Short mmCIF file of all heavy atoms in Angstrom, two decimals:
data_model
loop_
_atom_site.label_atom_id
_atom_site.label_comp_id
_atom_site.label_asym_id
_atom_site.label_seq_id
_atom_site.Cartn_x
_atom_site.Cartn_y
_atom_site.Cartn_z
N MET K 1 15.16 -37.62 28.83
CA MET K 1 15.74 -36.72 29.91
C MET K 1 15.25 -35.38 29.75
O MET K 1 15.22 -34.97 28.63
CB MET K 1 17.28 -36.86 29.74
CG MET K 1 17.94 -35.93 30.76
SD MET K 1 19.75 -35.71 30.79
CE MET K 1 20.41 -36.97 29.91
N GLN K 2 14.98 -34.72 30.87
CA GLN K 2 14.51 -33.35 30.76
C GLN K 2 15.38 -32.49 31.59
O GLN K 2 15.77 -32.84 32.82
CB GLN K 2 13.05 -33.32 31.35
CG GLN K 2 12.46 -31.91 31.54
CD GLN K 2 11.05 -31.95 32.12
OE1 GLN K 2 10.69 -32.93 32.73
NE2 GLN K 2 10.37 -30.80 31.94
N VAL K 3 15.97 -31.51 31.06
CA VAL K 3 16.82 -30.65 31.74
C VAL K 3 16.11 -29.47 32.41
O VAL K 3 15.33 -28.87 31.70
CB VAL K 3 18.00 -30.06 30.92
CG1 VAL K 3 18.91 -29.12 31.66
CG2 VAL K 3 18.75 -31.28 30.29
N LEU K 4 16.19 -29.34 33.75
CA LEU K 4 15.47 -28.29 34.43
C LEU K 4 16.32 -27.31 34.99
O LEU K 4 17.52 -27.54 35.33
CB LEU K 4 14.66 -29.04 35.53
CG LEU K 4 13.88 -30.23 35.18
CD1 LEU K 4 13.36 -31.05 36.35
CD2 LEU K 4 12.66 -29.69 34.35
N THR K 5 15.82 -26.07 35.31
CA THR K 5 16.59 -25.08 35.94
C THR K 5 16.65 -25.37 37.49
O THR K 5 15.64 -25.79 38.02
CB THR K 5 16.08 -23.65 35.75
OG1 THR K 5 14.62 -23.54 36.28
CG2 THR K 5 16.04 -23.37 34.17
N VAL K 6 17.65 -25.05 38.12
CA VAL K 6 17.89 -25.29 39.48
C VAL K 6 16.91 -24.45 40.33
O VAL K 6 16.30 -24.89 41.30
CB VAL K 6 19.37 -25.07 39.97
CG1 VAL K 6 19.51 -25.22 41.51
CG2 VAL K 6 20.22 -26.00 39.26
N THR K 7 16.69 -23.17 39.86
CA THR K 7 15.85 -22.31 40.69
C THR K 7 14.36 -22.78 40.69
O THR K 7 13.70 -22.61 41.61
CB THR K 7 15.94 -20.83 40.17
OG1 THR K 7 15.71 -20.85 38.74
CG2 THR K 7 17.33 -20.30 40.40
N ASP K 8 13.87 -23.28 39.60
CA ASP K 8 12.54 -23.78 39.49
C ASP K 8 12.14 -24.93 40.48
O ASP K 8 11.09 -25.05 40.95
CB ASP K 8 12.22 -24.19 38.06
CG ASP K 8 12.08 -22.96 37.12
OD1 ASP K 8 11.89 -21.82 37.60
OD2 ASP K 8 12.08 -23.27 35.92
N LEU K 9 13.25 -25.69 40.67
CA LEU K 9 13.05 -26.93 41.63
C LEU K 9 13.22 -26.58 43.03
O LEU K 9 12.81 -27.39 43.89
CB LEU K 9 13.93 -28.07 41.17
CG LEU K 9 13.68 -28.69 39.80
CD1 LEU K 9 14.72 -29.61 39.47
CD2 LEU K 9 12.29 -29.38 39.89
N GLY K 10 13.90 -25.49 43.35
CA GLY K 10 14.19 -25.15 44.69
C GLY K 10 15.16 -26.18 45.33
O GLY K 10 15.10 -26.63 46.50
N VAL K 11 16.16 -26.61 44.47
CA VAL K 11 17.18 -27.64 44.95
C VAL K 11 17.98 -26.88 46.02
O VAL K 11 18.58 -25.82 45.78
CB VAL K 11 17.97 -28.07 43.71
CG1 VAL K 11 19.12 -28.93 44.17
CG2 VAL K 11 17.09 -28.68 42.74
N ASP K 12 18.20 -27.66 47.10
CA ASP K 12 19.00 -27.09 48.24
C ASP K 12 20.48 -27.60 48.18
O ASP K 12 20.93 -28.26 49.12
CB ASP K 12 18.32 -27.35 49.58
CG ASP K 12 18.93 -26.63 50.73
OD1 ASP K 12 19.56 -25.54 50.51
OD2 ASP K 12 18.83 -27.13 51.90
N PHE K 13 21.14 -27.41 47.04
CA PHE K 13 22.46 -27.86 46.92
C PHE K 13 23.22 -26.57 46.44
O PHE K 13 23.00 -25.95 45.53
CB PHE K 13 22.68 -28.92 45.72
CG PHE K 13 22.23 -30.28 46.18
CD1 PHE K 13 20.82 -30.66 45.99
CD2 PHE K 13 23.11 -31.24 46.78
CE1 PHE K 13 20.45 -31.97 46.37
CE2 PHE K 13 22.63 -32.41 47.21
CZ PHE K 13 21.29 -32.77 46.87
N PRO K 14 24.20 -26.06 47.38
CA PRO K 14 24.72 -24.75 47.18
C PRO K 14 25.39 -24.59 45.83
O PRO K 14 25.46 -23.41 45.33
CB PRO K 14 25.64 -24.53 48.35
CG PRO K 14 25.87 -25.85 48.95
CD PRO K 14 24.61 -26.68 48.53
N HIS K 15 26.06 -25.55 45.27
CA HIS K 15 26.88 -25.40 44.08
C HIS K 15 26.15 -26.05 42.77
O HIS K 15 26.77 -26.22 41.84
CB HIS K 15 28.21 -26.06 44.21
CG HIS K 15 28.90 -25.36 45.39
ND1 HIS K 15 29.40 -24.09 45.34
CD2 HIS K 15 29.27 -25.91 46.69
CE1 HIS K 15 30.04 -23.80 46.48
NE2 HIS K 15 29.90 -24.90 47.30
N ALA K 16 24.88 -26.40 42.83
CA ALA K 16 24.16 -27.05 41.83
C ALA K 16 23.97 -25.99 40.72
O ALA K 16 23.53 -24.86 40.93
CB ALA K 16 22.79 -27.56 42.30
N ALA K 17 24.31 -26.47 39.49
CA ALA K 17 24.24 -25.51 38.35
C ALA K 17 23.25 -26.09 37.31
O ALA K 17 22.51 -25.34 36.65
CB ALA K 17 25.53 -25.45 37.63
N GLN K 18 23.04 -27.38 37.27
CA GLN K 18 22.06 -28.08 36.38
C GLN K 18 21.46 -29.26 37.00
O GLN K 18 22.08 -29.95 37.83
CB GLN K 18 22.80 -28.60 35.09
CG GLN K 18 23.35 -27.48 34.21
CD GLN K 18 23.79 -28.12 32.97
OE1 GLN K 18 23.05 -28.20 31.92
NE2 GLN K 18 25.09 -28.49 32.88
N VAL K 19 20.24 -29.55 36.66
CA VAL K 19 19.43 -30.66 37.12
C VAL K 19 18.82 -31.37 35.95
O VAL K 19 18.30 -30.69 35.16
CB VAL K 19 18.40 -30.23 38.23
CG1 VAL K 19 17.62 -31.50 38.70
CG2 VAL K 19 19.01 -29.60 39.33
N ALA K 20 18.91 -32.59 35.85
CA ALA K 20 18.29 -33.37 34.79
C ALA K 20 17.27 -34.37 35.44
O ALA K 20 17.66 -35.00 36.52
CB ALA K 20 19.23 -34.10 33.90
N LYS K 21 16.13 -34.51 34.96
CA LYS K 21 15.13 -35.37 35.41
C LYS K 21 14.95 -36.48 34.38
O LYS K 21 14.72 -36.34 33.30
CB LYS K 21 13.78 -34.66 35.54
CG LYS K 21 12.60 -35.53 36.03
CD LYS K 21 11.31 -34.73 36.07
CE LYS K 21 10.10 -35.58 36.47
NZ LYS K 21 8.93 -34.70 36.56
N VAL K 22 15.26 -37.75 34.87
CA VAL K 22 15.17 -38.91 33.98
C VAL K 22 13.98 -39.81 34.58
O VAL K 22 13.98 -40.19 35.80
CB VAL K 22 16.49 -39.69 34.14
CG1 VAL K 22 16.40 -41.04 33.27
CG2 VAL K 22 17.62 -38.85 33.73
N VAL K 23 13.04 -40.05 33.75
CA VAL K 23 11.87 -40.96 34.05
C VAL K 23 12.05 -42.25 33.25
O VAL K 23 12.12 -42.25 32.04
CB VAL K 23 10.56 -40.33 33.74
CG1 VAL K 23 9.43 -41.16 34.17
CG2 VAL K 23 10.43 -38.94 34.49
N ARG K 24 12.06 -43.30 34.06
CA ARG K 24 12.33 -44.62 33.44
C ARG K 24 10.98 -45.40 33.51
O ARG K 24 10.44 -45.58 34.74
CB ARG K 24 13.46 -45.40 34.10
CG ARG K 24 14.78 -44.71 34.08
CD ARG K 24 15.78 -45.60 34.79
NE ARG K 24 17.11 -44.87 34.72
CZ ARG K 24 17.89 -44.71 35.80
NH1 ARG K 24 17.49 -45.26 36.95
NH2 ARG K 24 19.04 -44.17 35.68
N HIS K 25 10.48 -46.06 32.48
CA HIS K 25 9.33 -46.83 32.51
C HIS K 25 9.80 -48.33 32.13
O HIS K 25 10.60 -48.48 31.28
CB HIS K 25 8.26 -46.39 31.50
CG HIS K 25 7.81 -45.04 31.78
ND1 HIS K 25 6.68 -44.77 32.47
CD2 HIS K 25 8.27 -43.84 31.32
CE1 HIS K 25 6.39 -43.52 32.54
NE2 HIS K 25 7.37 -42.80 31.85
N ARG K 26 9.31 -49.22 32.77
CA ARG K 26 9.66 -50.63 32.50
C ARG K 26 8.45 -51.55 32.76
O ARG K 26 7.56 -51.30 33.57
CB ARG K 26 10.83 -51.09 33.27
CG ARG K 26 10.67 -51.33 34.63
CD ARG K 26 11.96 -51.81 35.39
NE ARG K 26 11.59 -52.36 36.74
CZ ARG K 26 11.66 -53.61 37.02
NH1 ARG K 26 12.05 -54.53 36.21
NH2 ARG K 26 11.23 -54.05 38.18
N THR K 27 8.50 -52.65 31.99
CA THR K 27 7.44 -53.72 32.12
C THR K 27 8.20 -55.04 32.39
O THR K 27 9.16 -55.44 31.60
CB THR K 27 6.67 -53.81 30.88
OG1 THR K 27 6.04 -52.55 30.61
CG2 THR K 27 5.57 -54.84 31.02
N ASP K 28 7.84 -55.68 33.47
CA ASP K 28 8.47 -57.03 33.85
C ASP K 28 7.87 -58.03 32.85
O ASP K 28 6.66 -58.08 32.67
CB ASP K 28 8.02 -57.44 35.29
CG ASP K 28 8.66 -58.70 35.64
OD1 ASP K 28 8.53 -59.70 35.02
OD2 ASP K 28 9.37 -58.60 36.71
N THR K 29 8.79 -58.59 32.05
CA THR K 29 8.40 -59.54 30.96
C THR K 29 7.66 -60.74 31.50
O THR K 29 6.82 -61.43 30.80
CB THR K 29 9.54 -59.97 30.18
OG1 THR K 29 10.50 -60.49 31.02
CG2 THR K 29 10.16 -58.77 29.37
N ARG K 30 7.90 -61.17 32.74
CA ARG K 30 7.25 -62.35 33.31
C ARG K 30 5.84 -62.01 33.88
O ARG K 30 4.81 -62.71 33.60
CB ARG K 30 8.10 -62.97 34.31
CG ARG K 30 9.29 -63.60 33.81
CD ARG K 30 10.07 -64.23 34.98
NE ARG K 30 11.38 -64.73 34.50
CZ ARG K 30 12.36 -65.14 35.20
NH1 ARG K 30 12.28 -65.19 36.55
NH2 ARG K 30 13.45 -65.58 34.73
N SER K 31 5.67 -61.00 34.58
CA SER K 31 4.45 -60.66 35.28
C SER K 31 3.53 -59.64 34.47
O SER K 31 2.41 -59.49 34.73
CB SER K 31 4.71 -60.17 36.68
OG SER K 31 5.27 -58.90 36.64
N GLY K 32 4.27 -58.84 33.65
CA GLY K 32 3.49 -57.81 32.91
C GLY K 32 3.38 -56.52 33.82
O GLY K 32 2.79 -55.58 33.41
N LYS K 33 3.89 -56.68 35.03
CA LYS K 33 3.73 -55.47 35.95
C LYS K 33 4.52 -54.27 35.45
O LYS K 33 5.74 -54.37 35.07
CB LYS K 33 4.22 -55.90 37.31
CG LYS K 33 3.98 -54.72 38.34
CD LYS K 33 4.52 -55.20 39.75
CE LYS K 33 4.46 -53.98 40.70
NZ LYS K 33 4.93 -54.37 42.06
N GLN K 34 3.98 -53.09 35.45
CA GLN K 34 4.56 -51.93 35.01
C GLN K 34 5.04 -51.02 36.13
O GLN K 34 4.36 -51.03 37.16
CB GLN K 34 3.67 -51.05 34.00
CG GLN K 34 3.30 -51.79 32.72
CD GLN K 34 2.43 -51.01 31.80
OE1 GLN K 34 1.87 -50.02 32.24
NE2 GLN K 34 2.31 -51.43 30.61
N SER K 35 6.28 -50.38 36.03
CA SER K 35 6.67 -49.55 36.97
C SER K 35 7.28 -48.25 36.46
O SER K 35 7.72 -48.27 35.23
CB SER K 35 7.64 -50.20 37.97
OG SER K 35 8.78 -50.64 37.32
N ARG K 36 7.42 -47.31 37.28
CA ARG K 36 8.10 -46.02 36.78
C ARG K 36 9.05 -45.63 37.88
O ARG K 36 8.71 -45.62 39.10
CB ARG K 36 7.01 -44.96 36.62
CG ARG K 36 7.60 -43.65 36.13
CD ARG K 36 6.65 -42.60 35.93
NE ARG K 36 6.08 -42.19 37.19
CZ ARG K 36 5.02 -41.37 37.41
NH1 ARG K 36 4.34 -40.91 36.40
NH2 ARG K 36 4.70 -41.09 38.60
N GLU K 37 10.26 -45.14 37.49
CA GLU K 37 11.12 -44.63 38.47
C GLU K 37 11.67 -43.24 37.99
O GLU K 37 11.94 -43.05 36.82
CB GLU K 37 12.46 -45.61 38.44
CG GLU K 37 13.52 -45.05 39.30
CD GLU K 37 14.72 -45.93 39.24
OE1 GLU K 37 15.08 -46.49 38.19
OE2 GLU K 37 15.41 -46.14 40.27
N THR K 38 11.70 -42.19 38.91
CA THR K 38 12.11 -40.94 38.55
C THR K 38 13.41 -40.67 39.27
O THR K 38 13.51 -40.91 40.46
CB THR K 38 11.14 -39.91 38.97
OG1 THR K 38 9.87 -40.18 38.27
CG2 THR K 38 11.61 -38.47 38.60
N VAL K 39 14.57 -40.30 38.50
CA VAL K 39 15.77 -39.93 39.07
C VAL K 39 16.15 -38.51 38.71
O VAL K 39 15.98 -38.14 37.52
CB VAL K 39 16.80 -40.95 38.48
CG1 VAL K 39 18.23 -40.71 39.01
CG2 VAL K 39 16.54 -42.35 38.80
N TYR K 40 16.69 -37.91 39.66
CA TYR K 40 17.24 -36.53 39.36
C TYR K 40 18.67 -36.47 39.41
O TYR K 40 19.32 -37.03 40.40
CB TYR K 40 16.75 -35.51 40.41
CG TYR K 40 15.23 -35.20 40.32
CD1 TYR K 40 14.32 -35.97 41.09
CD2 TYR K 40 14.81 -34.20 39.50
CE1 TYR K 40 12.96 -35.77 40.95
CE2 TYR K 40 13.42 -34.04 39.27
CZ TYR K 40 12.46 -34.80 40.09
OH TYR K 40 11.19 -34.61 40.03
N VAL K 41 19.32 -35.93 38.36
CA VAL K 41 20.81 -35.94 38.24
C VAL K 41 21.26 -34.44 38.53
O VAL K 41 20.67 -33.58 37.85
CB VAL K 41 21.33 -36.33 36.79
CG1 VAL K 41 22.77 -36.31 36.72
CG2 VAL K 41 20.77 -37.72 36.53
N ILE K 42 22.06 -34.24 39.55
CA ILE K 42 22.44 -32.90 39.91
C ILE K 42 23.98 -32.73 39.70
O ILE K 42 24.77 -33.69 40.08
CB ILE K 42 22.05 -32.63 41.37
CG1 ILE K 42 20.64 -32.84 41.65
CG2 ILE K 42 22.53 -31.27 41.77
CD1 ILE K 42 20.23 -32.87 43.08
N THR K 43 24.34 -31.68 39.01
CA THR K 43 25.72 -31.32 38.72
C THR K 43 26.08 -29.94 39.03
O THR K 43 25.23 -29.02 38.95
CB THR K 43 26.12 -31.86 37.27
OG1 THR K 43 27.47 -31.57 37.15
CG2 THR K 43 25.32 -31.01 36.31
N ASP K 44 27.38 -29.66 39.36
CA ASP K 44 27.86 -28.35 39.51
C ASP K 44 28.45 -27.74 38.27
O ASP K 44 28.87 -26.58 38.18
CB ASP K 44 28.81 -28.31 40.64
CG ASP K 44 30.14 -28.99 40.42
OD1 ASP K 44 30.06 -29.90 39.47
OD2 ASP K 44 31.04 -28.93 41.17
N LEU K 45 28.41 -28.55 37.18
CA LEU K 45 28.88 -28.16 35.90
C LEU K 45 27.84 -27.25 35.16
O LEU K 45 26.66 -27.51 35.15
CB LEU K 45 29.27 -29.33 34.94
CG LEU K 45 30.41 -30.23 35.49
CD1 LEU K 45 30.48 -31.48 34.60
CD2 LEU K 45 31.69 -29.58 35.65
N THR K 46 28.31 -26.22 34.56
CA THR K 46 27.40 -25.40 33.68
C THR K 46 27.25 -25.98 32.34
O THR K 46 27.91 -26.89 31.96
CB THR K 46 28.01 -23.89 33.61
OG1 THR K 46 29.27 -24.01 32.87
CG2 THR K 46 28.16 -23.30 34.95
N SER K 47 26.19 -25.44 31.56
CA SER K 47 26.02 -25.94 30.27
C SER K 47 27.25 -25.67 29.36
O SER K 47 27.41 -26.42 28.36
CB SER K 47 24.82 -25.25 29.66
OG SER K 47 24.99 -23.88 29.58
N ARG K 48 28.01 -24.75 29.60
CA ARG K 48 29.25 -24.51 28.86
C ARG K 48 30.36 -25.53 29.11
O ARG K 48 31.31 -25.82 28.37
CB ARG K 48 29.81 -23.05 29.13
CG ARG K 48 28.87 -22.06 28.41
CD ARG K 48 29.48 -20.74 28.67
NE ARG K 48 28.60 -19.72 28.10
CZ ARG K 48 28.89 -18.66 27.34
NH1 ARG K 48 30.24 -18.49 27.19
NH2 ARG K 48 28.07 -17.82 26.92
N GLN K 49 30.30 -26.15 30.39
CA GLN K 49 31.25 -27.09 30.74
C GLN K 49 30.92 -28.55 30.27
O GLN K 49 31.83 -29.36 30.31
CB GLN K 49 31.48 -27.09 32.20
CG GLN K 49 32.10 -25.77 32.76
CD GLN K 49 32.01 -25.69 34.25
OE1 GLN K 49 30.97 -25.86 34.86
NE2 GLN K 49 33.20 -25.44 34.82
N THR K 50 29.70 -28.76 30.04
CA THR K 50 29.26 -30.21 29.53
C THR K 50 28.10 -30.04 28.60
O THR K 50 27.58 -29.08 28.34
CB THR K 50 28.93 -31.02 30.81
OG1 THR K 50 28.81 -32.32 30.50
CG2 THR K 50 27.71 -30.47 31.52
N SER K 51 27.58 -31.16 28.12
CA SER K 51 26.51 -31.25 27.26
C SER K 51 25.57 -32.34 27.72
O SER K 51 26.01 -33.24 28.52
CB SER K 51 27.05 -31.62 25.72
OG SER K 51 27.61 -32.85 25.80
N PRO K 52 24.34 -32.33 27.18
CA PRO K 52 23.44 -33.45 27.51
C PRO K 52 24.04 -34.84 27.20
O PRO K 52 23.86 -35.73 27.96
CB PRO K 52 22.12 -33.11 26.81
CG PRO K 52 22.21 -31.68 26.59
CD PRO K 52 23.73 -31.33 26.38
N LYS K 53 24.64 -34.95 26.09
CA LYS K 53 25.17 -36.24 25.75
C LYS K 53 26.32 -36.67 26.65
O LYS K 53 26.40 -37.86 27.08
CB LYS K 53 25.81 -36.15 24.23
CG LYS K 53 26.19 -37.52 23.77
CD LYS K 53 26.51 -37.44 22.26
CE LYS K 53 26.80 -38.70 21.71
NZ LYS K 53 25.54 -39.40 21.19
N ALA K 54 27.15 -35.79 27.09
CA ALA K 54 28.28 -36.09 28.01
C ALA K 54 27.63 -36.35 29.40
O ALA K 54 28.17 -37.31 30.19
CB ALA K 54 29.26 -34.96 28.22
N SER K 55 26.46 -35.80 29.71
CA SER K 55 25.92 -36.03 30.99
C SER K 55 25.31 -37.44 31.12
O SER K 55 25.08 -37.95 32.24
CB SER K 55 24.80 -35.01 31.30
OG SER K 55 25.32 -33.71 31.37
N GLN K 56 24.96 -38.09 30.04
CA GLN K 56 24.40 -39.39 30.02
C GLN K 56 25.44 -40.46 30.30
O GLN K 56 24.99 -41.47 30.65
CB GLN K 56 23.71 -39.62 28.69
CG GLN K 56 22.49 -38.81 28.43
CD GLN K 56 21.89 -39.03 27.08
OE1 GLN K 56 22.40 -39.83 26.28
NE2 GLN K 56 20.78 -38.45 26.83
N ARG K 57 26.64 -40.20 30.19
CA ARG K 57 27.64 -41.17 30.39
C ARG K 57 27.83 -41.44 31.90
O ARG K 57 27.89 -40.52 32.66
CB ARG K 57 29.05 -40.76 29.92
CG ARG K 57 29.08 -40.82 28.39
CD ARG K 57 30.51 -40.57 27.86
NE ARG K 57 30.39 -39.29 27.22
CZ ARG K 57 31.28 -38.33 27.22
NH1 ARG K 57 32.50 -38.52 27.97
NH2 ARG K 57 31.23 -37.17 26.70
N SER K 58 27.86 -42.70 32.28
CA SER K 58 28.16 -42.90 33.77
C SER K 58 28.95 -44.18 33.90
O SER K 58 29.01 -45.03 33.07
CB SER K 58 26.87 -43.20 34.50
OG SER K 58 25.63 -43.09 33.86
#
C-alpha cells in the first residue's frame, strides 16, 4: 500500500483527506496468466484520526 497526498493526485472529492494506492498482483494457478489491479482508497479521515493499519481493515 502506498499513501499519497490528495493534492498530488488532483482528486476531485471535496472532503478527501487521504488517498491510498493498492496494487494487487496475482497469478492464476491453472493458466499461469498474470494480472494486476490498482485500487485507490479515499477517506475523509486525517492521519491523526486513523492509521495505515486501521485503514487496511474492511
Side-chain angles (χ1 to χ4, degrees):
M1 179 183 339
Q2 178 182 15
V3 179
L4 307 167
T5 62
V6 175
T7 53
D8 289 343
L9 290 174
V11 175
D12 191 23
F13 288 88
H15 302 289
Q18 294 187 87
V19 178
K21 178 181 177 182
V22 180
V23 180
R24 300 175 183 137
H25 298 269
R26 71 181 195 110
T27 303
D28 186 303
T29 55
R30 291 183 186 168
S31 67
K33 182 179 176 182
Q34 296 180 346
S35 63
R36 179 180 71 186
E37 175 183 39
T38 302
V39 178
Y40 291 92
V41 181
I42 302 171
T43 181
D44 63 349
L45 299 175
T46 65
S47 59
R48 290 182 181 223
Q49 294 172 308
T50 190
S51 66
K53 188 168 186 92
S55 299
Q56 290 177 355
R57 285 187 252 142
S58 359

